[in-house]
Amino acid sequence: MLTLFPEMFPGPLGISLVGTALEKGIWSLETVDIRDYGIGRHRNVDDTPAGGGAGMVMRADVLGAAIDAARASAPALTAIYLSPRGRPLTQARVRALADGPGVMMLAGRFEGVDERVIEGRGLEEVSIGDYVLSGGELAAMVVVDACVRLRDGVLGAADSLGEESFEAGLLEYPHYTRPREWEGRAIPDVLLSGDHRRIADWRRQEAEALTQSRRPDLMATAAKGDNDD
Ligand code: ADE
C-alpha cells in the first residue's frame, strides 16, 4: 500500500473477519510511506499543475521511486491506482485479484497523480464508485476487504458465497429470521413451508424483481448469462 498516510492501515482491516485473517497470516499488508521518497529537505511529494489550475499534483519522480522500491521486493503484483476515473470495481475483478499473487495499490491525495506515472508504470486505474473521496486509502481498503473475504479460511463454513449479491449477476433475495412476526410484519409463508423447490423459486423471483427495480443495468448482463465484468 503506497500512501502518504500509512497510519491509516490496517485500520478497519484489522478488525473482524478480515482482521482475524490478517492475524492468522491468510493475507498480509505492507505500507510504503510515499513521503520517504519526497524531494529535498521538506520531502515534497506534490507540485502545482502544469497548465495552471487549482490544487496540487503528486510528482511522477517521487511516485516512480516509491513504486520501484515496492516492486523490487514484490515484482509480480498487479499495480493499481485508486481513482474515480478508473474502471468501476466489479465482483468479477475482485475474484480475479483474490486469486492472483497480490496487489500493489497506490492511494493518491490532492488533485491526483502525474499522468506519466500511470502510463510509465502501467498502473490499472480502479474506481469504487461514482463519487469522489478525499484520498485513495479508503478505496484501497474496500478492494482489500472484498478480496480477502474470498480467500480460503476467511469465511466460516456457514457463510455461503454462492448465493450472495452479484454471484449470479443479481442482487440477493431478502432474508428473514425469528421472530415469526415483528411489529405486525410476518415472514413470507413460503419460507416456512419446508418446500425447498418453492423456496428456491420464490428467492429467484425476489432477486430478479429487486434487481429489475434497483439495477436494471445488471439485469441486462444477468440475462446474457455473463457476469464476468
Ligand atoms: N479516490 C477518490 N475517489 C475515489 C473513488 N471513487 N474510487 C477510487 N479511488 C478514489
Side-chain angles (χ1 to χ4, degrees):
M1 197 71 62
L2 280 63
T3 171
L4 285 169
F5 299 100
E7 66 274 22
M8 286 179 76
F9 295 89
L13 300 174
I15 290 169
S16 189
L17 280 179
V18 173
T20 305
L22 181 61
E23 281 165 19
K24 283 199 217 159
I26 292 175
W27 70 287
S28 66
L29 172 77
E30 234 176 279
T31 54
V32 172
D33 189 345
I34 295 168
R35 186 74 58 190
D36 290 345
Y37 299 87
I39 308 285
R41 200 158 59 85
H42 295 295
R43 298 241 167 259
N44 283 333
V45 297
D46 59 339
D47 212 325
T48 53
M56 299 291 269
V57 177
M58 292 178 84
R59 294 175 59 122
D61 50 358
V62 171
L63 293 175
I67 292 167
D68 293 348
R71 278 231 172 103
S73 57
L77 305 188
T78 304
I80 287 177
Y81 167 51
L82 286 314
S83 155
R85 278 189 352 183
R87 283 185 101 190
L89 186 65
T90 61
Q91 190 65 16
R93 188 75 191 108
V94 166
R95 266 195 303 272
L97 292 174
D99 287 342
V103 187
M104 184 188 74
M105 288 192 272
L106 170 62
R109 286 270 153 177
F110 318 117
E111 288 310 299
V113 309
D114 190 305
E115 187 71 19
R116 292 169 296 180
V117 83
I118 300 173
E119 295 166 9
R121 292 298 178 272
L123 304 182
E124 172 187 343
E125 285 185 80
V126 171
S127 167
I128 64 157
D130 291 341
Y131 41 81
V132 181
L133 305 170
S134 56
E137 287 82 2
L138 287 172
M141 289 181 196
V142 166
V143 176
V144 172
D145 183 282
C147 289
V148 168
R149 63 186 289 283
L150 298 182
R151 301 283 302 187
D152 286 344
V154 177
L155 296 185
D159 304 291
S160 138
L161 288 171
E163 297 196 17
E164 68 183 14
S165 286
F166 307 117
E167 286 299 333
L170 296 172
L171 302 182
E172 201 176 1
Y173 52 78
H175 299 283
Y176 300 87
T177 187
R178 281 184 278 273
R180 193 171 177 143
E181 194 179 303
W182 177 75
E183 296 188 349
R185 296 166 194 272
I187 295 176
D189 283 337
V190 56
L191 297 178
L192 306 170
S193 69
D195 182 338
H196 298 295
R197 183 64 200 265
R198 274 185 60 221
I199 292 171
D201 287 346
W202 181 86
R203 285 178 168 164
R204 176 87 198 173
Q205 282 165 25
E206 290 289 315
E208 285 177 1
L210 205 64
T211 309
Q212 185 61 256
S213 77
R214 291 184 189 172
R215 294 292 304 278
D217 57 310
L218 288 181
M219 213 57 201
T221 328
K224 276 193 290 168
D226 150 33
N227 64 328
D228 276 351
D229 210 331

